[in-house]
Amino acid sequence: MNTPVALITGASRGLGRALAAGLAREGFALITDARNAAALVEAAAPLRAAGGDVTAISGDITDPAHRAALLAAAQTAGRLDLLVNNAGTLGASPLPALADYPPADLRTAFEANVIAPIALIQLMLPLLRASGGGVLNITSDAAREAYAGWGGYGAAKAALEQASNVLAAEEIALRVWWADPGDLRTDMHQQAFPGQDISDRPRPESVVPAFVRLISQRLPSGRYRAAELMPAARG
């Protein structure tokens, strides 16, 4: 019961998988989620082989039944110290101008990037309050900057940021962070630039020390950029 527990969504690849490995090294027991069951099992295998405690539950975070299954896993664990809302979707790809953005794809982007994370937070709040834990919502510079083609994703992440801001004001006993990892070499980033070479982007593992610092030092609630946290993490 003294082992901290973290729930990480979208943990089968990219930043979510890298964060799961980093938090396992920090001594967290993990509850992980992703839509692709085989990829989720594959991601969990090396963590378990290294002695990590990983409960992997596949499903779609927009599905209320799947969110309920994640809550049941946290209740079985007996505590929850950290919720990482990493799962999301780019939306329409290739990225369209807002004038051409299909409303159905826009609804999908908001459902995955805003509604589902808030709904999961609502479910997990009693456990998080009991532990004095934290919520980490993964955001993007597209939430603040006007990039052509990024209107759907950026608007959804901007909504998530404001929801995070309000949650931090309401849940003062918790830590609520919304953090921009920067451009990374991930499948989602590749979807944003189909056919382009993105090998110059850093790997997701490169920013894990920044997030570990944020979590382990329990920095104040607020918005962070991984790049701003990295120098201190190295030092």
Side-chain angles (χ1 to χ4, degrees):
M1 291 296 292
N2 293 326
T3 301
V5 177
L7 166 57
I8 307 171
T9 66
S12 66
R13 61 187 184 182
L15 180 61
R17 181 170 181 167
L19 282 175
L23 291 175
R25 289 192 296 269
E26 293 294 309
F28 279 81
L30 303 178
I31 302 167
T32 60
D33 133 286
R35 285 175 293 182
N36 187 315
L40 187 63
V41 169
E42 180 187 357
L47 304 182
R48 290 175 175 146
D53 180 352
V54 185
T55 300
I57 304 174
S58 60
D60 190 330
I61 201 66
T62 65
D63 179 5
H66 176 58
R67 294 196 296 266
L70 295 176
L71 174 61
Q75 290 171 331
T76 298
R79 63 186 296 164
L80 185 65
D81 300 87
L82 177 67
L83 168 60
V84 181
N85 279 311
N86 169 72
T89 183
L90 179 67
S93 176
L95 296 172
L98 275 176
D100 305 313
Y101 212 108
D105 289 338
L106 190 60
R107 291 189 187 94
T108 298
F110 270 79
E111 185 69 33
N113 296 323
V114 187
I115 305 301
I118 292 174
L120 190 59
I121 290 168
Q122 290 173 336
L123 284 179
M124 300 299 170
L125 268 176
L127 287 169
L128 291 167
R129 287 168 178 156
S131 67
V135 176
L136 171 57
N137 292 326
I138 303 301
T139 184
S140 167
D141 61 341
R144 294 198 165 191
E145 303 296 333
Y147 300 129
W150 289 82
Y153 181 81
K157 286 298 186 179
L160 180 63
E161 288 205 0
Q162 179 59 3
S164 303
N165 201 10
V166 171
L167 183 67
E170 294 174 342
E171 300 290 337
I172 58 175
L174 303 182
R175 290 290 190 271
V176 181
W177 305 294
W178 47 111
D180 170 17
D183 291 346
L184 300 174
R185 199 185 317 173
T186 63
D187 289 347
M188 181 182 287
H189 202 73
Q190 186 67 78
Q191 290 170 21
F193 302 99
Q196 295 187 30
D197 181 7
I198 64 166
S199 61
D200 60 326
R201 275 68 162 185
R203 293 187 180 277
E205 293 80 4
S206 67
V207 298
V208 168
F211 288 101
V212 168
R213 179 191 171 205
L214 181 67
I215 295 161
S216 63
Q217 295 184 11
R218 288 187 59 82
L219 297 182
S221 295
R223 189 183 197 276
Y224 291 86
R225 293 177 61 246
E228 296 169 344
L229 294 170
M230 286 300 291
R234 293 193 191 100

